[in-house]
Amino acid sequence: MTSQDQKAAAPVGASGIPAPDKQRWLVLVVVSVGQLMIALDTTVASVMGPELQRDLGLSPIGLQWVFNNYIILFGGLLLLGGRLNDVIGRRRMFLGSLALFTAGSLLAAMAQTDDQILIARAIQGLAAAGLSPACLSILVVSFRDPAERAKAFGVWGAVIGVGAGLGTLLGGAIVDVNWRLAFYINIPIAVVLTIGAMLLIRGGAPSGPRPKADVLGGISGTIGLGALVFAIVSVTDHGWTDVRTLGTFLVALVLLPAFIVIENRAEAPLLPLRLFRLRGVVAGSLGEFFTAGLMIPCFMLLPIYMQTVLGYSPMETGLAYLPTTLAMMIVAGPLSKAIPKIGAQLPYVVGTVLLGVMVVLLIRTPTSGSYWTVMLPITTLLGVGLVLCLIPTPTVGTSMATEDDAGTTSALLNVATQVGGALALAISASVLQGRLTDLAEQGQVGPAALNEALHWGIATLFVWVGLSLLTGLIGFRGLPATPPAAADGSSPDAGDGAAPGGPDPAGEKATDRAGAPVAAPAAP
């Protein structure tokens, strides 16, 4: 794309910085709702298990794979989806992935057999791998002003946590009517989002020279990451020593190092390794990894406690998460305004401490008790702690990434989220199952035994609390609270108008956000 093309793509002010897009806040609404759909469908199935088993004849293992299929495809294809956003255009990826996600939702809603629901969830996971990095990268390039981007990330961080909470709430409420509505509801939302994206989101197909395709990197990275996620989620069903678990871990152990070697030599790598030299990217990814490791087990294991031990109905289970959602919505606004002033480290560390207190309460839950004294403190701490962690991490994680790598950086943060959440859930669930088996051999069964086993499984989260605290105290130290304002005159949507590594309109050598020189890949 030429300099003239870039100037035509976005108005530029006297300072040389592109004038802000007047529709950027509407764009934020569109991509936030898109991310909300993904978050909802990650947890919505957690409280509809009995209904799925009754209507579709799912076995307990099949029921677990309603969740696993979604996570494996989502996590395994994120890097590829993120890079495709940078290469073929964020707007196109958003619209295409949204259409595929809608098709998967329709198939899930109409499913009559176990195979159909599993295929539908796989399609949703495949689509989410393209849609999630598209949403975040569109946000990154739409908000170039540091203060405004901090506010936008405040909304974004709240959406991820609120979506997980609403997924459980929505699942519980809808199960009492018809579980299929949880998937049907995606269709009208997707139609509105499609119209909004076509009207509001800039960019089309790239018009500049395209770099050579990183075929070997795509194959090794996708299969390696997919194998890693598959192995992690298989632990819950088959254990750590099962042949399938060990075999897929071995595949990941071989392919992921090979992927790094390939990326180091590729002209246009799927994952530019220079991103790992940016401390903000590394710290943000670790923050996402450990925060998700605390979030996902809470949304997956707490319903077991509430329904099996306390005897809550699906509706009551969903409503029990209402304080989580409300806490996030209340804290998100003031926090996003405060971060540019106080920095990202303080809220992240405080959030981790609150989540640690929540874990302490979780390992002390009784077999009976009032909601007000047992679940209310836990769900409130969960909401406040998560929002204090979820808002700073994408701000820090994307603060040093270049425009051309917005999609890849977004995918990297998403990969950290999916792998962190899946690994923590696999570890806690396997410890829970092991303790439950030991208690059964001792003749202890029923809600009391399950409650004790849950305490053992949840206790593993202390490791994640400790690592998250170290990340906040060391990794976040000294990092900017907001991304530096762009001063290169490039278009906010340049990633949709030029191939990665395209010519610098100012005729200057390209640099990343940290000031390091970035070599443009040679045109084929």
Side-chain angles (χ1 to χ4, degrees):
M1 177 179 273
T2 66
S3 176
Q4 288 78 10
D5 291 334
Q6 287 183 323
K7 289 178 181 179
V12 179
S15 64
I17 300 175
D21 185 350
K22 295 180 180 179
Q23 298 176 322
R24 62 194 181 282
W25 296 107
L26 293 176
V27 170
L28 174 62
V29 172
V30 171
V31 298
S32 295
V33 175
Q35 181 63 40
L36 181 63
M37 288 177 59
I38 297 170
L40 283 171
D41 279 64
T42 301
T43 57
V44 73
S46 63
V47 294
M48 59 173 65
E51 285 69 22
L52 289 176
Q53 288 182 300
R54 184 188 65 237
D55 289 357
L56 303 180
L58 281 166
S59 65
I61 292 179
L63 184 62
Q64 179 66 29
W65 280 92
V66 172
F67 173 75
N68 289 352
N69 275 9
Y70 184 83
I71 292 299
I72 290 171
L73 271 296
F74 188 3
L77 294 173
L78 268 169
L79 283 180
L80 183 60
R83 197 54 176 165
L84 286 175
N85 271 280
D86 292 328
V87 174
I88 70 174
R90 302 177 187 98
R91 183 172 181 266
R92 281 190 164 190
M93 280 297 293
F94 182 92
L95 291 170
S97 300
L98 183 60
L100 187 61
F101 194 89
T102 306
S105 299
L106 180 60
L107 180 58
M110 299 175 64
Q112 299 297 323
T113 66
D114 54 353
D115 289 338
Q116 289 175 356
I117 189 69
L118 293 176
I119 291 172
R121 291 289 284 172
I123 292 173
Q124 285 187 309
L126 173 63
L131 183 58
S132 188
C135 290
L136 184 53
S137 61
I138 288 169
L139 184 152
V140 169
V141 300
S142 296
F143 290 87
R144 300 174 67 86
D145 177 80
E148 286 192 346
R149 189 183 287 189
K151 294 178 183 178
F153 275 133
V155 174
W156 182 262
V159 161
I160 294 176
V162 168
L166 281 179
T168 308
L169 176 59
L170 181 65
I174 286 180
V175 159
D176 284 350
V177 181
N178 190 326
W179 63 266
R180 298 178 187 275
L181 294 176
F183 297 108
Y184 273 128
I185 197 172
N186 289 335
I187 298 172
I189 296 174
V191 171
V192 174
L193 288 181
T194 299
I195 296 172
M198 294 178 68
L199 294 175
L200 299 171
I201 298 175
R202 291 178 178 174
S207 57
R210 296 192 182 189
K212 291 180 179 179
D214 183 15
V215 177
L216 288 179
I219 293 173
S220 59
T222 301
I223 297 177
L225 187 57
L228 176 63
V229 179
F230 179 88
I232 290 171
V233 300
S234 295
V235 168
T236 306
D237 295 331
H238 309 298
W240 293 94
T241 58
D242 183 80
V243 173
R244 282 162 291 191
T245 304
L246 293 175
T248 47
F249 268 127
L250 181 61
V251 170
L253 186 63
V254 171
L255 288 181
L256 290 179
F259 170 70
I260 294 174
V261 173
I262 292 169
E263 296 307 276
N264 192 44
R265 299 176 179 177
E267 290 185 40
L270 181 69
L271 176 61
L273 297 184
R274 63 180 175 78
L275 292 178
F276 293 102
R277 295 198 297 269
L278 304 177
R279 194 158 67 90
V281 174
V282 175
S285 297
L286 288 175
E288 292 279 352
F289 185 90
F290 296 127
T291 301
L294 291 167
M295 177 174 69
I296 297 301
C298 289
F299 284 112
M300 294 300 171
L301 299 183
L302 266 179
I304 298 175
Y305 170 72
M306 288 187 277
Q307 291 181 306
T308 307
V309 178
L310 297 182
Y312 285 13
S313 68
M315 172 69 84
E316 290 171 329
T317 301
L319 290 174
Y321 280 103
L322 192 57
T324 302
T325 303
L326 291 176
M328 287 186 168
M329 295 174 67
I330 292 170
V331 175
L335 177 61
S336 62
K337 295 178 181 178
I339 283 180
K341 301 175 184 177
I342 65 175
Q345 184 183 36
L346 179 61
Y348 184 86
V349 170
V350 172
T352 300
V353 171
L354 292 180
L355 290 174
V357 175
M358 177 205 66
V359 174
V360 171
L361 295 181
L362 282 172
I363 64 173
R364 298 171 59 86
T365 53
T367 54
S368 62
S370 165
Y371 167 80
W372 305 103
T373 58
V374 178
M375 291 309 305
L376 179 62
I378 290 172
T379 53
T380 302
L381 284 170
L382 177 62
V384 178
L386 283 180
V387 76
L388 288 174
C389 293
L390 288 172
I391 291 179
T393 47
T395 304
V396 168
T398 60
S399 63
M400 296 179 178
T402 66
E403 296 281 346
D404 287 339
D405 291 323
T408 305
T409 305
S410 302
L412 190 59
L413 294 174
N414 275 288
V415 167
T417 300
Q418 297 306 315
V419 174
L423 181 60
L425 180 60
I427 293 172
S428 57
S430 62
V431 170
L432 184 160
Q433 187 60 48
R435 182 56 181 168
L436 201 59
T437 301
D438 291 341
L439 291 173
E441 292 175 352
Q442 299 171 18
Q444 300 181 46
V445 294
L450 177 59
N451 192 43
E452 181 180 336
L454 280 167
H455 290 171
W456 280 61
I458 290 170
T460 63
L461 299 183
F462 280 119
V463 175
W464 300 85
V465 171
L467 294 173
S468 180
L469 194 58
L470 285 176
T471 298
L473 293 173
I474 299 173
F476 279 52
R477 185 175 57 192
L479 289 175
T482 57
D488 56 6
S490 60
S491 168
D493 57 328
D496 276 351
D504 176 28
E508 299 173 355
K509 189 173 183 179
T511 60
D512 62 26
R513 293 292 188 206
V518 179

